[in-house]
Amino acid sequence: MTAHKLPAASPDFIRTDDVLSGKLDAAQTNELEQRYGNGKLMRLLEVVGAGGPFTVASPWELDDPAGHRVINASGYAALPFGDNPPELNAFLRRVLAENDQVMFAQQSASSWRAALEANLVRLLARESGDHHDSKVFFSNSGTEAVEAAIKFAQAARPKAKYLINFTRAYHGKTLGALAITPNPNLQGPFRNILNPAVITLPFGDAAALERALKRVGADKIIAVILEPILGEAGVRLPPPGFLSAVGELSRRSGVLVIADEIQTGLGRSGHWFESVAQGLTPDILTLAKPLGGGMIPVGATIVRHAIYKKLLGSIETVKRHSNTFGGNTLAMAVGLKSLELLMDNDTPARSRALGEQGLARLKVIQARTPELLEEVRGAGMLFAMNFRPLAALPFKFQADLISEATGMLALVAFYRSGVLLNFSLNAARTMRLTPAMNMPGELFAQVFDRVERAAAAYPSSFKLVQRYGTPGLMRLLKAAFLEE
């Protein structure tokens, strides 16, 4: 049964001038997105009224087609300076006007790539007191950075077969990364082609890791991979001492450690590298989101030299991993400038200070509206609000549907109050706030003013349904559960 009928497709091709001039309006844009793109997602966002297309009012504020302005506390930790930040925009224009180096530098040296490689290694070495001779492999995304990390680790320990991960982790959706993302819904129909040699342990349980190392045998384990803070699980912090214990256990047993710092790294959590701040110096570290400044996709895998050369250390092996556009000049220039801006503004210190303020506000709001918010969490400029379910149902599939509906209605309620939140892929009832790390202080305070206003207007999860209204809820359920 079709939930949303679209008119016949136009045979005309769309030109760049049509987009730049605004000739392609919001209605046409949504129609084309639903017809030719991820129609289900676009339809859901359209129904809840938070689908855009948005225009940028400032790096931190967006206007929707109805003229409704919202503060963008979304961005999935990938917008360190907001959307289309002026500093990066001006820098990109300068690079395009003045740069005379080849843009596609796969088979040649690149000053831009060399500079970013050096700066990343030097920053990690400065913070950890280690990694002085490490190497960097560039790719186009976080999941690609994780794929590279897995291959480096396996090449360094060719006789080992198991990877150890942790519950509720999220490492990406390409096949290698998905294999170590223990989410049955995301793995879905791909399980038969995923690597089965993955051991999943409870996040935060160092004793479970110690038992697994003894039970399986350290010589059979390729690496332990973990997020220092579980981002997509809703900003779940490990217990004190867990990361340092993982590092010590792995070091004693000779097992490698991969730290996935794609969300936490480069200042978001309040530290340059959250794993290092918690006492773990990883053998391999992955970065992505903020490195591209919200403008260009950039992924980076930083690897100890001794490990790096096992995969890419000889003429016979140097072709075993490559990336066509990884390390291209435009991406490297943006990555270099993004890192420069983050360092010049001491971003970790600012994230810590604002993070403490924001979390204190959230705790007060939660205490006032416990029937709406079960729990709030935060680390630097990573915040999470865990909503109470709309109803308690006995069966898991029912509970899952209720969780999804709770998340969607919460998104709508807070959007109407002027704040755009983002979902959590491993926690349906948890909405996250990942505001730009350079958001002005007064606007940052407004985010929590608006959160407080929304919570006061919807003081319980039941109010989310009641205020949304039965007709709106039926449209949402129809869009969510009927096939296109």
Side-chain angles (χ1 to χ4, degrees):
M1 187 176 189
T2 301
H4 187 66
K5 187 71 174 174
L6 292 172
S10 168
D12 297 332
F13 289 95
I14 300 160
R15 299 190 63 82
T16 52
D17 284 346
D18 295 335
V19 179
L20 279 171
S21 67
K23 183 179 176 182
L24 193 69
D25 65 21
Q28 292 170 317
T29 298
N30 274 305
E31 175 192 322
L32 293 172
E33 285 270 41
Q34 290 178 47
R35 180 180 292 278
Y36 298 114
N38 189 343
K40 172 59 72 174
L41 175 61
M42 291 297 108
R43 176 63 179 149
L44 274 170
L45 291 172
E46 181 189 44
V47 167
V48 301
F54 293 101
T55 55
V56 179
S58 78
W60 316 283
E61 299 167 290
L62 306 175
D63 290 341
D64 69 15
H68 179 218
R69 181 163 295 181
V70 294
I71 301 175
N72 187 10
S74 177
Y76 293 88
L79 300 177
F81 319 115
D83 199 286
N84 196 12
E87 303 97 320
L88 268 182
N89 188 304
F91 172 73
L92 265 175
R93 292 171 186 269
R94 184 181 168 200
V95 169
L96 292 172
E98 300 177 22
N99 175 68
D100 61 0
Q101 294 195 32
V102 295
M103 301 299 280
F104 185 72
Q106 192 187 62
Q107 288 192 174
S108 63
S110 161
S111 298
W112 293 105
R113 188 170 61 228
L116 185 54
E117 289 165 345
N119 285 358
L120 286 172
V121 170
R122 289 169 182 173
L123 179 61
L124 179 55
R126 187 191 76 183
E127 296 300 304
S128 68
D130 197 358
H131 277 277
H132 298 279
D133 65 344
S134 289
K135 304 278 191 176
V136 185
F137 184 91
F138 288 112
S139 53
N140 304 300
S141 66
T143 193
E144 289 181 17
V146 170
E147 294 284 346
I150 294 170
K151 291 178 77 173
F152 278 115
Q154 177 69 90
R157 292 174 63 77
K159 294 182 180 179
K161 63 177 290 188
Y162 294 101
L163 287 164
I164 290 179
N165 67 343
F166 293 93
T167 50
R168 303 187 76 175
Y170 180 83
H171 299 291
K173 297 194 190 84
T174 51
L175 288 177
L178 184 59
I180 50 176
T181 296
N183 181 319
N185 182 46
L186 296 180
Q187 291 182 343
F190 315 115
R191 291 193 192 98
N192 63 326
I193 55 173
L194 296 177
N195 177 8
V198 176
I199 299 168
T200 301
L201 302 176
F203 182 70
D205 190 343
L209 175 60
E210 186 170 21
R211 290 193 297 271
L213 290 170
K214 291 177 181 177
R215 182 178 71 252
V216 177
D219 60 322
K220 295 180 182 178
I221 295 171
I222 303 164
V224 176
I225 182 166
L226 79 169
E227 298 167 88
I229 296 169
L230 297 179
E232 294 296 340
V235 193
R236 301 278 177 178
L237 281 67
F242 171 64
L243 265 75
S244 59
V246 169
E248 179 60 22
L249 287 167
S250 300
R251 187 191 62 77
R252 288 205 316 253
S253 61
V255 171
L256 303 179
V257 177
I258 302 168
D260 181 341
E261 294 254 16
I262 288 160
Q263 286 198 41
T264 54
L266 302 182
R268 172 67 62 177
S269 69
H271 303 281
W272 284 113
F273 307 101
E274 183 65 25
S275 54
V276 173
Q278 292 196 38
L280 167 65
T281 301
D283 300 291
I284 302 172
L285 185 142
T286 61
L287 297 169
K289 293 179 183 294
L291 197 55
M295 301 285 274
I296 302 286
V298 183
T301 307
I302 307 177
V303 188
R304 293 190 188 279
H305 187 191
I307 298 169
Y308 189 97
K309 68 183 183 181
K310 295 291 184 179
L311 179 62
L312 301 176
S314 73
I315 191 65
E316 295 151 325
T317 64
V318 75
K319 297 177 183 177
R320 285 184 177 168
H321 191 60
S322 61
N323 187 295
T324 301
F325 287 100
N328 74 81
T329 292
L330 201 59
M332 297 296 93
V334 169
L336 188 66
K337 185 64 175 179
S338 296
L339 186 59
E340 183 178 287
L341 290 169
L342 291 167
M343 295 183 74
D344 286 351
N345 293 291
D346 194 5
T347 299
R350 190 171 195 273
S351 291
R352 278 198 305 277
L354 288 180
E356 289 171 3
Q357 295 173 29
L359 183 57
R361 291 287 306 273
L362 285 179
K363 287 180 176 178
V364 169
I365 295 166
Q366 189 276 329
R368 289 175 180 167
T369 55
E371 296 305 309
L372 176 69
L373 294 171
E374 265 183 345
E375 185 184 4
V376 296
R377 296 178 292 274
M381 293 285 267
L382 281 167
F383 305 98
M385 298 184 293
N386 199 52
F387 291 86
R388 290 199 179 277
L390 300 176
L393 295 174
F395 301 108
K396 185 180 184 305
F397 80 94
Q398 294 173 325
D400 289 346
L401 293 180
I402 287 294
S403 291
E404 294 288 349
T406 303
M408 290 294 290
L409 291 180
L411 178 73
V412 176
F414 283 76
Y415 181 81
R416 288 175 174 175
S417 292
V419 181
L420 184 59
L421 309 177
N422 48 227
F423 294 105
S424 298
L425 291 176
N426 281 346
R429 286 190 287 115
T430 301
M431 293 286 114
R432 284 175 296 151
L433 300 92
T434 58
M437 293 184 282
N438 72 338
M439 182 177 283
E442 61 275 16
L443 199 61
F444 180 77
Q446 278 190 46
V447 169
F448 295 93
D449 291 343
R450 296 181 187 195
V451 167
E452 186 172 19
R453 187 165 69 231
Y458 304 89
S460 69
S461 294
F462 178 71
K463 288 291 185 183
L464 292 174
V465 180
Q466 193 178 47
R467 297 281 175 84
Y468 194 65
T470 302
L473 184 60
M474 293 307 295
R475 285 196 302 272
L476 176 60
L477 293 173
K478 185 178 179 182
F481 300 117
L482 291 181
E483 291 187 7
E484 296 291 333

